[in-house]
Amino acid sequence: MERVLIIGSLGQIGSELVIALRKKYGAENVFATDIKNPGNKLRKSGPFQILDVLDFKNLLHFIVRHHITQIYNLAAVLSGNAEKMPLQAWDINMKALMNSLEAARQSEAKKLFWPSSIAVFGPTTPRHNTPQLTVMEPNTVYGISKLAGERWGEYYNKRYGIDFRSVRYPGLISYKTEPGGGTTDYAVEIFFEAVKNKSYECFLSEDTALPMMFMEDAIQNTIRLMEVEGDKLSLRSSYNMAGISFTPKELAESIQKRIPEFRITYNPDFRQVIAESWPASIDDSVAQRDWGLNVNYDLEKMVDVMLKEVSKKLKG
Ligand code: NAD
Ligand code: SER
C-alpha cells in the first residue's frame, strides 16, 4: 500500500495534487504538510501536519513514523520572488531538495517527485520547440537551482538507486490557489482581473510567448509519471513538458471573445527579462514516448473553464 508525503502541499500545485492523490490512494494514506496552516477544506479532506522541509531531523522522523513510501517535494521559492532574494532562494531551494533526497536515501521512501521548470533553459537555448537535450545556461537564481537540482536527482538515482522522477513544468494555470510569485503568474491574475474589473495591466509585454499548462493536465501527467514502471524511463533528470504556448496578447484576445469589454495594457517589469530568457515553446516528445504525456486542454478550452470557475469563485 502506498503512503504518500506531500511537502509544500498548500501551494498552487499541492492544494490540487493532495485532493487527486487522496482520491487515488485513500485520504488516510496521503499526508499533506506545509509550513503554514491549511484552510478548512484541505484540513477536513485528510491528515495535515506542519512540517518544515529544511528541518532534516523532523522530516526523516515524519517519514519513518508514518511509513511513507513516496514523497512529492513541492517546496521552493519561485522565479520572481527568488530574484528579490537570490542567496536565500538558493539556500532554500537546494536545501529543500537535498533534504528530501537524503531522507529518501535514509528511509524506505525511495520514490521521490521533485518538479523542475522551463527556467532551466536560458538565453542561449534554442527558443522554439526547445529539445529535451540542448544548451542549458539559465541566468536566474531559480533556473540555476532547478538545473542543479536535476543533476542531483539523477546523481541520487544512479548512485543510491533513489527512484527520482521529475518534469520541467511550464507555467501552470489554475483557479483554486493563487500562484506563488513566478514569472508566469500573469496568466492566472488576468482571469481574476478580467472578471472583477474588465481590465488588466500585464507585467510582460504583449508578444512574450511562454509555454503554459492547465493545472488539471499538470496533475494528471504528474501522477501518470509517478505510476509508470521505472524501466520505461530513459531519463532520471527531468522531462520537458510543453503544454500550450501563447502570448499575453493572444490570451487577452481569447478572453475578449467571451468578455468583449475586457481591456489589457502592458507595463513590463523585472519579470520581462526572466521571461525572455525562457523558451517560447517546448518539444516534449521524449515524455510522450517514455510515459505517455498527454494534454487535454488547449487555449480555448482552458479560457472557458477559467472564466467559468473564477466567476463562480468571485461570487463566493
Ligand atoms: P507555491 O509557492 O504555490 O507553493 C509552495 C509551497 O511550499 C507553499 O505552500 C509554501 O508554504 C511551501 N513551503 C515553502 N517553504 C517551505 C518549507 N521550508 N517547508 C515546507 N513547505 C514549504 O509553489 P507551486 O507553484 O505550488 O510550485 C511547487 C513546485 O513546482 C516548486 O518546486 C516550483 O518551482 C515548481 N514549479 C511550479 C510551476 C508553476 O507554474 N506553479 C512551474 C514550474 C515549476
Ligand atoms: N511558473 C514558474 C515561475 O514562473 C515557472 O517555473 O517561476
Side-chain angles (χ1 to χ4, degrees), residues 121 126 130-136 151 168 235 237 240 283 286:
F121 300 113
T130 303
Q132 176 70 46
L133 288 175
T134 185
V135 179
M136 294 170 92
R151 301 285 81 229
R168 295 169 179 156
L235 287 173
S237 52
N240 274 7
D283 171 9
V286 180

Side-chain angles (χ1 to χ4, degrees), residues 33-272:
T33 66
D34 205 295
I35 48 171
K36 55 191 187 196
N37 282 310
N40 266 345
K41 200 170 165 207
L42 194 127
R43 194 185 279 280
K44 279 187 193 150
S45 77
F48 176 87
Q49 194 164 311
I50 295 284
L51 182 70
D52 184 346
V53 68
L54 305 182
D55 179 347
F56 180 73
K57 226 170 114 189
N58 261 337
L59 173 65
L60 186 59
H61 187 236
F62 188 98
I63 289 169
V64 172
R65 181 155 48 98
H66 294 287
H67 309 287
I68 298 296
T69 58
Q70 49 177 283
I71 304 168
Y72 289 74
N73 176 9
L74 305 175
V77 182
L78 273 73
S79 60
N81 285 345
E83 288 309 303
K84 295 177 192 159
M85 44 172 204
L87 290 184
Q88 212 180 332
W90 170 260
D91 281 349
I92 294 170
N93 288 359
M94 294 317 296
K95 198 163 180 207
L97 170 66
M98 297 314 290
N99 279 358
S100 58
L101 284 168
E102 262 307 290
R105 190 177 72 81
Q106 294 182 36
S107 73
E108 297 305 313
K110 297 294 181 217
K111 201 183 226 184
L112 171 62
F113 177 80
W114 171 88
S116 184
S117 160
I118 54 167
V120 290
F121 300 113
T124 51
T125 301
R127 278 204 85 216
H128 298 278
N129 212 23
T130 303
Q132 176 70 46
L133 288 175
T134 185
V135 179
M136 294 170 92
E137 295 183 316
N139 61 2
T140 61
V141 67
Y142 177 71
I144 298 169
S145 74
K146 289 295 185 191
L147 182 54
E150 290 187 6
R151 301 285 81 229
W152 274 111
E154 188 191 82
Y155 181 88
Y156 266 68
N157 172 261
K158 301 278 180 272
R159 174 104 197 239
Y160 303 118
I162 300 304
D163 190 357
F164 179 82
R165 302 184 182 205
S166 177
V167 289
R168 295 169 179 156
Y169 284 132
L172 300 181
I173 300 179
S174 65
Y175 54 87
K176 291 192 178 148
T177 305
E178 271 179 37
T183 301
T184 56
D185 293 13
Y186 93 84
V188 175
E189 288 170 12
I190 193 171
F191 288 100
F192 284 86
E193 293 305 312
V195 173
K196 262 192 294 190
N197 302 321
K198 312 277 181 275
S199 68
Y200 179 60
E201 183 178 278
C202 184
F203 59 74
L204 297 184
S205 68
E206 63 179 355
D207 52 355
T208 313
L210 286 170
M212 303 274 183
M213 184 178 273
F214 189 55
M215 188 62 83
E216 194 180 305
D217 276 333
I219 300 289
Q220 292 312 319
N221 280 299
T222 300
I223 295 174
R224 186 170 293 140
L225 169 64
M226 284 296 270
E227 292 213 313
V228 79
E229 300 82 12
D231 59 9
K232 296 254 163 62
L233 303 179
S234 63
L235 287 173
R236 287 305 186 141
S237 52
S238 189
Y239 282 94
N240 274 7
M241 203 184 219
I244 38 177
S245 284
F246 53 80
T247 63
K249 185 164 183 260
E250 287 162 343
L251 179 55
E253 283 168 355
S254 179
I255 293 173
Q256 276 157 351
K257 284 189 211 158
R258 284 113 178 138
I259 307 178
E261 62 277 37
F262 173 64
R263 291 287 168 266
I264 184 163
T265 53
Y266 300 94
N267 186 12
D269 67 13
F270 71 100
R271 289 167 283 192
Q272 179 65 31

